[in-house]
Amino acid sequence: MTSPAFKYPESAFAGGKEGTVGYQYRLLDDSGRVSVNCIYRSSGDAEIDLAVVRRVNVSVYYTLKGFDWSRDASRVYQDTQTLSWTAESRARTKSDENSLIGRLIYEPPLPPPYLLYKFEGAAMLRGRVNEAGAVDVVSMLRSSGDTHLDALAMASMLKYKFKPGEAFTFDRMFTFDYK
């Protein structure tokens, strides 16, 4: 399947929504153009479902070897597509560290309670910063292996403050070493 450039639905992205959509499609002609007949598994969000249908309807599927239009034209096929907020935010993450540092107002220190906890680990988190400069969504990319350390890292991530401006996402590794 080849697809044109795809734009994630803005309100779904802003709401951190994602999902998998199962659909049935049929070929429109022997060039591989398709049309969705029905959705048999909804993502639970109408905007994501509609985005998948629009994406599929402008896509071109490669026909299989041995495909015969006169014989196979009436067939209905099934497929699924997943729209993932995590994958989309990774694509939107600013790679320029200088622009991130230029907007940073407050970077919280690691909370001291972990020193008393006597466990070690590293948690990788992704934070979404809104237009006001506050972190409003935190997602766990990789757990430290300990729920207490993960909770400390997430609480710390929510305390970051940035200058107001365009919303963006950033990743942060929290390393907890007990010494």
Side-chain angles (χ1 to χ4, degrees), residues 93-167:
T93 299
K94 305 287 185 192
S95 60
D96 182 7
E97 277 295 314
N98 293 331
S99 66
L100 180 69
I101 293 170
R103 288 189 58 189
L104 184 62
I105 295 172
Y106 176 70
E107 180 177 7
L110 282 175
Y114 90 90
L115 293 172
L116 304 172
Y117 190 55
K118 299 184 182 181
F119 282 94
E120 296 181 347
M124 177 62 110
L125 303 177
R126 172 162 293 135
R128 185 177 66 189
V129 179
N130 61 25
E131 291 84 8
V135 176
D136 60 357
V137 175
V138 175
S139 57
M140 179 75 57
L141 299 179
R142 187 175 67 232
S143 172
S144 67
D146 183 86
T147 56
H148 291 56
L149 295 181
D150 291 345
L152 288 171
M154 292 184 93
S156 183
M157 189 79 153
L158 288 168
K159 294 178 183 173
Y160 271 82
K161 300 293 179 212
F162 295 87
K163 293 177 186 170
E166 183 182 339

Side-chain angles (χ1 to χ4, degrees), residues 1 3 19-25 36 38-43 48-49 52-53 55-56 61 77-83:
M1 178 179 84
S3 300
T20 299
V21 179
Y23 57 92
Q24 290 184 342
Y25 66 94
V36 172
C38 71
I39 292 177
Y40 66 85
R41 187 170 103 197
S42 172
S43 67
I48 289 176
D49 292 351
V52 167
V53 168
R55 182 180 197 176
V56 171
Y61 278 64
Y77 303 88
Q78 285 190 183
D79 204 351
T80 60
Q81 281 194 22
T82 300
L83 293 187

Side-chain angles (χ1 to χ4, degrees), residues 22-36:
Y23 57 92
Q24 290 184 342
Y25 66 94
R26 62 181 174 78
L27 292 166
L28 294 176
D29 56 37
D30 59 358
S31 72
R33 290 185 320 114
V34 299
S35 175
V36 172

